[in-house]
Amino acid sequence: MTQVDTAETGQGGAGHQDTRQGGVGHQDTGPGARRAAARRAVRRALRPGPWKRGPVLTALALFLGLLMLLHAHIPNRIWNVGSLAETFLPWFGLLVPVLLALALRRRSLSAVVALLLPAVVWLNFFGGLLTDKSHPHGDLTVAGHNVGADNPDPAGTARDLAASGAHILALVELSAQARPTYEKELAKTYPHHTVQGTVGLWSKLPLSATGPVDIMMDYGPLGDAKPAATKRAYNRALRTTVATDRGPLAVYVAHLGSVRVNPRAGFWTDSRDRNAQALGKALAAERSARVVLLGDLNGTVDDRALTGLTSALHSAQTAAGDGFGFTWPAKFPVARIDQILVRGVEPTSSWLLPATGSDHLPVAAGIRW
């Protein structure tokens, strides 16, 4: 009996202990336990260990943020590094999740906090492009396309562009061989057109005051010595006035000089930059209150070389587009170098047209005033 009683007493003690354990469990879910857990988490976060981990990741995060924030101060004196960085500036944002994954793996609180800088800077620059800002009911649809001198199907490209519904269609990089094809295929849809060298404009509305724009394709004594007829053959900019129901609209079409990346010169942009400056002066002298510039500018709106243009006009894609609207190269676009810039009119929408035989994607926008 004594042994049985002792066993029962022990079981009772165990039962009593179980009850106390249940009480502990109850306390773990109470407000006091939650406050204690929070204090423990804060103490763990304030320990020097997590903050000391990953100094290289922390430095890289801060460098990335400052690089984006101060991109305008990156010098162009060596290989035009500043313009090169600005061309691909939106892609710098991809480094944020990469560094975040490494920081979490390293358990580096300092790196995680440091990544707030590039994340905020990127969202400030490009966050607005992540939403659809387009609206219907534009007064006029304009479109532009670098059709590509090596386009294997100019007839098909012309038919696709005619079916876009654009009232005004600007084409650049028109070769002498393909020009008759475009003129033939677009004639029915666009009764009015002009071609000045390698750029042209097709319109459903009458044109007037049309002529080439000198963007300094040639310069210096050798350029001055060339006959005017020779220069007209490879002219790359024009200006015309489109007669609309709402009044005259000045339209410029331009194809700025190409850029190259090579080991000796780095990011070579000399001709593009010279053309951009000359076109900027022409636009500054433009007296029309309503202006549209269409064309392949071989630069993004973030590139400092286009400041003379982007300070006087604003991007339809930025104001009324959906996404970044990258246009080049067509198979895997990484940059928007084909632009629609406006002044005195309001973009209502901006979008990409389907790919053609060109290495660029066509762009379109709706405008109103």
Side-chain angles (χ1 to χ4, degrees), residues 332-346:
F332 188 81
V334 297
R336 184 180 177 90
I337 61 175
D338 302 272
Q339 307 291 353
I340 300 177
L341 307 180
V342 301
R343 181 181 78 197
V345 297
E346 178 189 357

Side-chain angles (χ1 to χ4, degrees), residues 34-46:
R34 288 195 293 271
R35 286 194 295 269
R39 286 194 294 269
R40 287 195 296 271
V42 170
R43 284 196 296 270
R44 283 195 298 268
L46 293 178

